[in-house]
Amino acid sequence: MNLNNLEKTNKKKIRVGRGIGSGKGKTSSRGHKGQKSRSGVAIKSFEGGQMPLYRRLPKRGFKSLKKDKIAILNLSKIQTIFDKKKNNLKGNLDLKILKEKKLVNKKFAKLKILGSGEIKNSIEISAHFASKEASKKIEKAGGKLSIIKK
């Protein structure tokens, strides 16, 4: 690399509208008349009065179209449910029972068990999904976990 032909780092900005000699004088490269030749004009997505594309298309946002309604329960939550006397559960647990007792919302279609927390009771749980950690802990406590296939 030669020092004589390095690329310049201090290039001058072209100043439009500064006289005939600059080559960018008079109309300042804007052409003649018309809306675009004037200052303070922003036409970005204007389509001449036609309904613009961004308004013709439906709004989708960030809502996942395939998102299932899955109720998520941790083992710690299940333990607190069993500890409360008013729930009077007999040692088996599934989504239907949870909905009847109003412990989960009725909008949920599936149940997932996660392994955060500890469980002391031996419980029979039927769920659609379960983590490895959760199934280990349930079996260690003497419970049973059955996965519903749908």
Side-chain angles (χ1 to χ4, degrees):
M1 195 176 230
N2 196 346
L3 285 174
N4 293 332
N5 49 10
L6 283 174
E7 204 173 310
K8 284 191 174 173
T9 55
N10 58 346
K11 282 188 178 170
K12 274 197 168 160
K13 188 176 168 240
I14 295 170
R15 297 176 70 211
V16 295
R18 290 295 184 278
I20 206 166
S22 69
K24 295 269 188 256
K26 196 184 168 208
T27 56
S28 311
S29 306
R30 284 171 175 260
H32 292 274
K33 298 186 180 177
Q35 188 178 14
K36 286 184 177 176
S37 74
R38 307 186 192 288
S39 67
V41 173
I43 308 180
K44 291 180 187 79
S45 60
F46 184 66
E47 295 181 21
Q50 173 178 296
M51 185 64 67
L53 183 69
Y54 68 90
R55 286 186 61 198
R56 271 181 276 165
L57 298 176
K59 289 195 285 186
R60 291 240 340 249
F62 290 94
K63 285 183 182 155
S64 173
L65 297 175
K66 288 191 171 185
K67 190 176 175 195
D68 281 330
K69 306 277 189 216
I70 301 174
I72 293 171
L73 278 185
N74 273 308
L75 292 180
S76 55
K77 181 76 175 165
I78 294 169
Q79 188 60 49
T80 54
I81 287 169
F82 270 86
D83 290 345
K84 286 183 180 168
K85 295 285 185 271
K86 66 177 183 187
N87 292 330
N88 59 31
L89 297 166
K90 301 286 185 282
N92 59 339
L93 196 72
D94 64 356
L95 189 60
K96 193 176 158 203
I97 292 166
L98 289 168
K99 282 181 181 178
E100 282 170 11
K101 301 277 182 188
K102 294 188 177 166
L103 296 166
V104 297
N105 198 321
K106 63 177 184 262
K107 73 179 179 186
F108 292 118
K110 293 180 179 178
L111 179 64
K112 184 170 187 172
I113 309 295
L114 297 180
S116 171
E118 291 298 319
I119 194 148
K120 297 172 197 88
N121 306 35
S122 65
I123 306 166
E124 212 173 294
I125 300 174
S126 57
H128 296 83
F129 311 102
S131 67
K132 288 176 191 169
E133 191 77 18
S135 55
K136 275 184 202 167
K137 286 181 180 178
I138 290 165
E139 282 161 22
K140 190 178 170 188
K144 195 176 138 198
L145 179 72
S146 55
I147 303 294
I148 304 164
K149 295 272 189 267
K150 267 191 182 177

